Amino acid sequence: MNITVIGTGYVGLVTGACFSKMGNKVYCVDIDEQKIENLKNGILPIFEPHLGTIVINSQEKGDLIFTTQIKEALDNTDIVFIAVGTPMSEDGSANLDYIFSAATDIANNITHDSLVVIKSTVPIGTGFKVKRHIEEILDENKSNVKIEIASNPEFLKEGRAIEDCMHPDRVVIGAETEEVFETLKDLYSSFVLNHDRFILMDVKSSEMTKYVANAMLATKISFMNEIANICEVTGADVQKVRLGIGSDRRIGYDFIYAGCGYGGSCFPKDVQALINTSQSHGYEPEILAHVEIVNKRQKLVLVKKITDRFGEDLTGMTFGVWGLAFKPGTDDVREATSLVVISELIKRGAKIKTYDSQATEEFKRAIDDECLDSIEFMDNRYDAIDGCDALILITEWKEFRYPDFKELSERMNQRIIFDGRNIYDKKIKNQGFELYQIGC
């Protein structure tokens, strides 16, 4: 099939690349000329394992075309995916400016009947608003073009996005007609050999499904972090509690690991957007509101442990921080715990040495400029703890799981570890380390 994907951010680029890998001809459209030029040269705006190889190979085969010319793309395709960003507005609602800008461009450039599929995460009812918006412009332009609208939310995990796209757990399709369902099922047939993985529904339910999926996962994380804090004040061990409840098949082990808070581009934004949508319809979602409250508080747990150990004045102290990305496998630092912890320590007079294999440059752009003078970015994990008073583990990259504790002992001023992801065995205390974890 011939496809247009509008937006070459995380979702658009992964989606377009994976469709092209399966032999479809894909036009990826973006208004950012420099980004398009970089992509043509194999320079990606994000880090995602295996994505670069697919982008380069598909371009060489002529199956993936990057362009700023939307008319060129629309003239040669019948299915148009909108995959632009929907950032959070100041009031917590999803900002749909990019969505309607894309819809306007479609309406002003489309010349034949087409299917418009919204891949972006959007509030319930957006699909029909987009359809009306396009149809109004088509009417103004005296065009006879007809469009169909569909919702096809993404469920990609950063760091595993290619795997998730090529081998999806499910493909959710929201549409109004059987013809649209069949068109999208045909498109995804090469990804989904088991047709039971197609979940067909109305457009509004499809839009809601994406929000609920992320809100549910965020709720599990905040719930377990709340339990970890209760364990800590009562003397229980959240690691053992996790094993005790995870063995129940109704609960399972996924997303019940205590830690120092979630981040990223999805969970914080989507939870807040669902809260805003609920409130705009006169319903107060109390559980969702507290999911966010708990998460914001959890990002300060490491700071409290550090100040409990060393006091509020950290002047003259240096901390080594391992991990800046909000999770392993990505360079994304949006809403990352590292931003909160490092800023708070610097406010108290501390100096920071830090290392992350992928996220350093993104972190430099995200952190307040006044903090940069107090941070030294290192090229390997051991240099980041050289002469430090404590190690702070924030992102559980694999290379951090089994460090050489003898080398840590030799390089650090004090043998103190604040483990924000509970990845270290308590046996390291036998080697003379003080170990502070979450909920145990």
Side-chain angles (χ1 to χ4, degrees), residues 302 305-306 309-310 390-393 416-420 436:
L302 283 176
K305 289 180 179 293
I306 292 165
R309 174 62 177 79
F310 295 111
L391 165 63
I392 305 168
L393 185 285
I416 302 173
I417 298 176
F418 294 91
D419 178 6
Y436 298 88

Side-chain angles (χ1 to χ4, degrees), residues 211-225:
Y211 277 118
V212 173
N214 279 349
M216 174 61 79
L217 297 175
T219 299
K220 290 184 73 173
I221 294 170
S222 279
F223 175 82
M224 206 61 195
N225 283 335

Side-chain angles (χ1 to χ4, degrees), residues 251-267:
I251 298 172
Y253 291 106
D254 292 341
F255 287 85
I256 61 168
Y257 290 83
C260 51
Y262 61 75
S265 63
C266 294
F267 287 5

Side-chain angles (χ1 to χ4, degrees), residues 197-213:
R197 295 192 179 184
F198 285 113
I199 303 175
L200 311 181
M201 59 185 71
D202 60 278
V203 173
K204 286 187 176 182
S205 295
S206 175
E207 293 167 339
M208 177 65 92
T209 297
K210 170 61 177 180
Y211 277 118
V212 173

